[in-house]
Amino acid sequence: MVTPYGIKFSVHIITSHFGNLVAKVCEKLLTRGPLTLQLLIRFTELNSLQVKNSLLILIQHNCVQAFSAEESGGIANKQTPTQYLVLFDNILHRLRFPKFLEIVAQELDENCAELLEGLLQHGRLTQEQIYERAKSIKSGDCADQSGVQEHFRKLVNDRFIERCPAPEPFIAESTPEETPAKKRGAKATKLVEVKKTLEQRVLEEAAVMEAQRFSIMEDLETDIDAEKSKDSSSIVRLGEKRKGDLLELDGDFSFNNKEVTLWRANFEEFLRCLRHKACVESVRARLDDGAAIVLKALLKATRGAEKKVKMENSVPLSLDSIFEEVMKSEAGRTMTLDRVRASLDQLGCPSSMGIDDSYSIDLKKIIELSQNEEVESIVLNRYGRDGYRVFRLLSKAGHLLETDKISEMTFVEKKDTPKILYKLWQDEYLHMEKMVVNTKQFLLWKVNKSILCEHVLDEMYHAALNLSLRSTHEMEQHKELLNLPAGQCTGPMEKKRLWLRSVRIYLVSSLLKLDDAIMLFHDF
Amino acid sequence: MSRLQGPSSLKRKRPDSNSPSGSLTEHERILYDVIRSKQDMGIWTRDLKREANLPDNVVAKSLKSLLTKKLIKEVVNIQNKGRKHLMAAEFEPSKEISGGDWYVDGSLDTEFIDFLKDQFVKIIYKQRVATLEGILDVIRRSGILKVEITTQQIQEIVRVLVLDDKVMEVKSNGMGEFDSIPVGKVCFKCTNKAGLKGEPKVGAMASIPCGVCPRISYCTPDGIISPSTCVYYTKWLDF
Ligand code: SF4
């Protein structure tokens, strides 16, 4: 779901990371959908070089994917000019880099995290460049080369990094089943749907084959080739960073150095980890530690087998394997088989499923419960206890209920109920329908989950934007203070400086927390 | 009036049926018959005047007399508390007029409801898993209530506790803590948040100013209401 504030917030992220020009290009792509270079120049009113450079930066950082499509109705196989598709999700992932690094530091080690940091900073790098950067950080410790290679291998094996997708996939004309969607595209509401289909197709087309995506073997040969032609422009020194990287692309934006394999962080795997973590924590809060330990072990064992991020159910696993995995974790060592079975039961897998049957947990349900909790917490704090009860009644009921009935079932005063309902409706938390029976009018209410989720998500993007804007504002306001050397601050000034520090920490951590909630509604 | 003190109002008294309705004037009789014909719905005085078709002063006088003779009574109509609503003395207001069991004189008996909620949470917490009948049993034996309470009423209170997220509904699987309860029977457990005082966990959004801001839809980066001028933020960051 790309909502209006979602667009504003992502443009804000790009502005603060790459400046106004890049943000302008990005904004046009977000609001207008995929565009050609010519159209981008027209819409942004920037010159061709500015747009090209902006696009290169966005591509380098995995925020834009180029593609070309078969011209519809035209001569067969005639290609249209290259189009650029913005990847909204990947822009938001930029906020999550600290979370990604933490995962790698925990699951692997600090060295691997350091290697990943380079990739996150530069977007895409060749193996050679990754090694070079690692060397330059460790100030010329060449003996460490094999160590760095080992860290790289670990990252690939655990799927935390992957080969970059094809630079410009070719999209054949849509198959007949997709044509109706295109026609409906005339209606504004359906536009998103069509765009989504296209985005999915482009990403699918660009994706590296699963077998190659995490293979280093072939790359080693390429390395040797690269070694031979060390002076060629395909290898870019890191000091020249972004500008340098761009030289890899020629003026026509096509990669002609096909043999150079670029690597990047595998966002999908990180999201999977974060989703699992969110599920485990939700279960811990709602059920108990035992259920959390079992779920964590189960998800860890099956992570590699998951085919997509939004898995509805966990990959089936036998009780024996679950038990074995639980025993591996420190927290689970004291659990008995009976206890594990009881926890699985709590998690919604009744033991009647039999000994040799495998267990699979309903993850979608867990995510939904967490989403409900988040929304209900907003309602409680915004509309009070009575509003909370009314909202929960409607949310659980899942169908229309009449005002008086609602009042009766929630013990809210009959005269207060319509006011509460109206407020919730006005703020788009409820759906209302009028019904007339014998000239008497009744109002019926319900929660429309999908519309509500989209609305809440938009409010979250709005709130996230406000948080960052306020953060920037506070820092601007006290710029002089930040520029003063620490030693020069005394008395009240020192106090103010400490305050500013806490403000920054407070705002940054609030944004990270809010981003967890955004992922809950958008990515999980 | 609360059901916590005083005599039971859930078990309402029936008036003496031998009341002196024989000694009515002709006008009083007409009015009384109209009111009585409405049974437990009663009638609004203006509608009464229209139906009886009598002059205003006669109506006023006769009604006064009927009230003193305790043949009719004034009741609060929950739909419109400002209107004078009359009913024959032998009827109790219907649910539409009174608002139902939990209403007393046209207002929700919150004191009574809160008292019951409190007691029920304590009972469920103590029993770990409780059924409606179990709660009823404890209530009856403890004698904390001076009025009768039905399983239906218990169910209504427990439903609200579920909506408050203090209690959750679970189905017995006949094992462990459920071993004395038939499989499939609906039972109730305290949620982790109940803790007898706890509030639900504050979500990420609800813990920042914008998450609970009533003006979020008017707030824009460069508008009159904006994050950089926002007073909620100033207050929030005042530490
Ligand atoms: S910045 Fe202030 S005014 Fe704007 S939405 Fe947030 S709390 Fe409300």
Side-chain angles (χ1 to χ4, degrees):
Chain A
M1 274 177 280
V2 184
T3 68
Y5 267 100
I7 292 180
K8 283 193 188 141
F9 183 46
S10 50
V11 172
H12 170 79
I13 295 174
I14 294 296
T15 314
S16 52
H17 290 184
F18 305 118
N20 290 330
L21 293 185
V22 182
K24 205 165 183 183
V25 171
C26 182
E27 189 190 353
K28 288 294 167 233
L29 291 175
L30 278 164
T31 47
R32 291 181 177 265
L35 293 172
T36 59
L37 182 62
Q38 284 315 314
L39 283 174
L40 262 174
I41 293 170
R42 167 132 50 97
F43 292 141
T44 54
E45 293 170 356
L46 300 175
N47 66 40
S48 135
L49 189 68
Q50 286 170 322
V51 175
K52 274 187 191 173
N53 281 337
S54 299
L55 275 174
L56 283 168
I57 289 172
L58 287 167
I59 292 172
Q60 172 73 22
H61 288 274
N62 307 302
C63 297
V64 159
Q65 170 74 50
F67 71 97
S68 55
E70 198 174 349
E71 207 154 60
S72 56
I75 315 135
N77 290 332
K78 186 174 176 275
Q79 265 180 255
T80 55
T82 309
Q83 298 188 57
Y84 299 91
L85 171 78
V86 70
L87 304 173
F88 173 77
D89 291 2
N90 288 5
I91 299 178
L92 285 194
H93 290 336
R94 302 190 63 76
L95 277 186
R96 298 164 189 153
F97 288 175
K99 294 177 189 170
F100 299 168
L101 289 168
E102 199 188 302
I103 291 173
V104 167
Q106 271 174 9
E107 294 212 0
L108 300 172
D109 56 41
E110 285 296 340
N111 291 321
C112 293
E114 216 164 71
L115 219 59
L116 174 71
E117 195 177 10
L119 265 179
L120 292 175
Q121 266 172 22
H122 297 276
R124 315 175 150 198
L125 293 176
T126 61
Q127 220 169 319
E128 182 78 8
Q129 289 170 324
I130 294 172
Y131 295 161
E132 229 176 273
R133 179 182 176 275
K135 259 191 272 169
S136 70
I137 287 176
K138 292 241 151 68
S139 54
D141 190 3
C142 291
D144 216 18
Q145 168 89 7
S146 65
V148 177
Q149 264 174 10
E150 186 51 34
H151 302 144
F152 178 78
R153 190 162 297 128
K154 273 197 204 163
L155 281 169
V156 178
N157 281 345
D158 277 17
R159 307 188 162 201
F160 288 128
I161 59 178
E162 61 176 358
R163 285 166 185 254
C164 286
E168 189 181 331
F170 173 70
I171 307 295
E173 213 190 332
S174 37
T175 47
E177 305 97 87
E178 278 158 354
T179 333
K182 237 180 190 171
K183 273 181 196 150
R184 276 184 290 141
K187 287 185 202 152
T189 45
K190 296 284 178 207
L191 221 90
V192 186
E193 197 183 294
V194 175
K195 218 167 71 191
K196 228 179 173 180
T197 330
L198 181 65
E199 176 171 338
Q200 276 164 355
R201 290 185 63 203
V202 170
L203 290 184
E204 265 163 34
E205 213 52 57
V208 181
M209 270 195 323
E210 203 60 25
Q212 276 181 15
R213 193 168 160 198
F214 305 106
S215 98
I216 314 176
M217 288 313 288
E218 192 195 324
D219 213 53
L220 287 177
E221 287 159 32
T222 327
D223 268 6
I224 298 160
D225 289 347
E227 207 71 35
K228 279 186 208 143
S229 54
K230 201 145 192 172
D231 309 313
S232 90
S233 64
S234 67
I235 303 298
V236 184
R237 308 227 133 242
L238 274 166
E240 298 155 38
K241 218 173 136 186
R242 210 169 299 134
K243 277 242 175 63
D245 291 349
L246 304 182
L247 293 177
E248 287 181 17
L249 317 166
D250 68 20
D252 290 319
F253 287 104
S254 59
F255 291 72
N256 52 8
N257 285 309
K258 287 260 161 37
E259 69 274 20
V260 176
T261 307
L262 287 164
W263 293 83
R264 66 172 188 177
N266 178 14
F267 295 149
E268 198 185 314
E269 190 64 21
F270 286 115
L271 281 192
R272 193 169 286 133
C273 292
L274 290 171
R275 183 175 191 252
H276 288 176
K277 215 163 123 193
C279 287
V280 170
E281 288 321 310
S282 159
V283 160
R284 195 189 306 282
R286 223 160 14 85
L287 303 172
D288 54 29
D289 280 338
I293 292 167
V294 171
L295 181 64
K296 190 173 175 183
L298 182 146
L299 289 175
K300 195 170 170 213
T302 54
R303 195 171 85 202
E306 289 195 1
K307 289 276 176 289
K308 55 178 183 181
V309 175
K310 296 189 183 192
M311 294 285 282
E312 293 198 1
N313 296 297
S314 67
V315 177
L317 196 64
S318 72
L319 183 61
D320 284 345
S321 315
I322 297 173
F323 188 60
E324 203 176 297
E325 199 62 40
V326 169
M327 288 300 112
K328 275 191 216 157
S329 66
E330 201 175 324
R333 216 153 286 156
T334 53
M335 289 181 90
T336 60
L337 187 60
D338 266 349
R339 186 75 223 306
V340 172
R341 208 181 277 141
S343 293
L344 284 165
D345 195 70
Q346 272 182 301
L347 288 164
C349 288
S351 42
S352 59
M353 280 173 73
I355 311 285
D356 28 276
D357 263 320
S358 43
Y359 288 80
S360 165
I361 313 279
D362 188 345
L363 298 177
K364 195 169 157 226
K365 186 76 189 286
I366 298 177
I367 296 293
E368 268 175 21
L369 287 174
S370 303
Q371 288 175 341
N372 290 350
E373 232 170 52
E374 183 68 36
V375 178
E376 284 165 8
S377 159
I378 299 175
V379 172
L380 176 64
N381 285 280
R382 231 187 256 179
Y383 309 94
R385 183 51 68 192
D386 285 349
Y388 176 73
R389 225 181 285 141
V390 165
F391 180 81
R392 267 176 63 94
L393 172 73
L394 290 168
S395 156
K396 278 170 179 276
H399 54 77
L400 289 164
L401 282 175
E402 195 264 329
T403 314
D404 270 353
K405 183 86 189 151
I406 294 169
S407 166
E408 251 167 50
M409 294 179 81
T410 52
F411 287 175
V412 175
E413 277 280 1
K414 292 219 157 114
K415 61 174 188 328
D416 296 337
T417 315
K419 287 182 220 156
I420 293 173
L421 286 166
Y422 185 75
K423 242 200 211 147
L424 280 163
W425 170 75
Q426 215 177 15
D427 291 350
E428 294 179 52
Y429 278 70
L430 289 184
H431 166 80
M432 185 233 290
E433 272 176 34
K434 285 184 185 150
M435 194 175 77
V436 180
V437 180
N438 300 331
T439 70
K440 200 171 173 217
Q441 179 178 286
F442 294 95
L443 294 181
L444 306 173
W445 313 82
K446 79 168 193 174
V447 171
N448 185 329
K449 183 90 199 279
S450 60
I451 294 179
L452 175 68
C453 279
E454 189 169 335
H455 174 70
V456 169
L457 184 60
D458 193 48
E459 278 191 347
M460 284 178 178
Y461 288 134
H462 192 169
L465 175 65
N466 286 354
L467 255 177
S468 346
L469 286 173
R470 182 69 185 210
S471 192
T472 318
H473 170 78
E474 293 291 346
M475 297 310 134
E476 290 259 300
Q477 286 282 298
H478 303 94
K479 222 171 17 206
E480 2 44 86
L481 213 61
L482 287 173
N483 290 338
L484 275 182
Q488 273 188 29
C489 286
T490 46
M493 275 241 274
E494 174 63 9
K495 234 175 116 187
K496 187 98 192 162
R497 210 173 59 92
L498 287 175
W499 169 82
L500 196 61
R501 233 186 59 178
S502 344
V503 163
R504 189 185 350 215
I505 294 169
Y506 204 42
L507 290 170
V508 167
S509 65
S510 295
L511 185 59
L512 286 176
K513 225 176 107 193
L514 180 60
D515 173 57
D516 284 342
I518 290 178
M519 283 194 284
L520 188 61
F521 284 81
H522 182 70
D523 304 272
F524 298 166
Chain B
M1 179 177 62
S2 163
R3 274 161 277 196
L4 286 180
Q5 313 102 24
S8 150
S9 65
L10 277 177
K11 267 200 163 169
R12 280 146 179 146
K13 292 179 304 235
R14 294 272 152 197
D16 190 354
S17 52
N18 306 321
S19 43
S21 58
S23 58
L24 294 181
T25 66
E26 188 201 337
H27 293 148
E28 283 170 9
R29 164 69 58 194
I30 296 171
L31 289 169
Y32 181 57
D33 285 347
V34 173
I35 296 171
R36 220 178 139 186
S37 71
K38 303 294 178 216
Q39 298 187 356
D40 63 356
M41 288 304 288
I43 187 165
W44 177 27
T45 41
R46 188 173 303 166
D47 290 336
L48 177 64
K49 278 177 203 162
R50 200 161 12 91
E51 277 196 36
N53 202 13
L54 293 170
D56 273 10
N57 57 342
V58 176
V59 172
K61 207 178 123 209
S62 311
L63 284 182
K64 211 171 155 199
S65 160
L66 284 169
L67 280 167
T68 356
K69 286 179 186 156
K70 297 214 160 54
L71 285 171
I72 60 166
K73 61 184 171 185
E74 235 181 87
V75 293
V76 182
N77 180 356
I78 183 85
Q79 313 289 350
N80 201 330
K81 288 193 197 169
R83 290 180 179 179
K84 202 167 167 181
H85 207 84
L86 296 168
M87 188 174 287
E90 62 259 50
F91 292 105
E92 283 305 325
S94 72
K95 217 172 138 206
E96 288 87 342
I97 302 297
S98 71
D101 281 344
W102 304 105
Y103 278 75
V104 170
D105 298 337
S107 312
L108 201 60
D109 192 351
T110 43
E111 202 187 331
F112 185 52
I113 293 167
D114 288 346
F115 173 77
L116 287 181
K117 277 166 76 172
D118 220 45
Q119 292 298 321
F120 285 12
V121 171
K122 281 186 188 144
I123 294 171
I124 298 171
Y125 191 73
K126 227 162 128 191
Q127 297 200 335
R128 298 192 50 128
V129 271
T131 58
L132 294 178
E133 294 77 14
I135 298 172
L136 181 66
D137 197 45
V138 177
I139 290 280
R140 276 202 185 132
R141 272 189 290 137
S142 68
I144 41 171
L145 284 187
K146 300 193 177 50
V147 295
E148 262 307 306
I149 188 162
T150 62
T151 331
Q152 164 73 22
Q153 286 171 324
I154 294 183
Q155 190 170 14
E156 285 175 28
I157 296 280
V158 173
R159 186 176 54 211
V160 169
L161 286 173
V162 172
L163 293 181
D164 278 332
D165 203 20
K166 294 255 195 291
V167 161
M168 61 182 173
E169 204 182 293
V170 278
K171 276 216 174 84
S172 165
N173 60 3
M175 296 192 307
E177 50 191 15
F178 298 104
D179 61 1
S180 58
I181 302 166
V183 178
K185 172 120 186 122
V186 172
C187 327
F188 299 92
K189 263 176 100 159
C190 281
T191 54
N192 290 349
K193 296 134 207 162
L196 298 182
K197 63 168 178 41
E199 286 287 306
K201 185 183 114 222
V202 181
M205 184 70 170
S207 52
I208 56 170
C210 306
V212 289
C213 177
R215 301 204 275 182
I216 185 162
S217 40
Y218 308 102
C219 179
T220 50
D222 317 298
I224 301 172
I225 303 177
S226 82
S228 40
T229 56
C230 171
V231 285
Y232 302 115
Y233 259 106
T234 313
K235 238 199 228 147
W236 192 56
L237 295 175
D238 183 19
F239 44 70

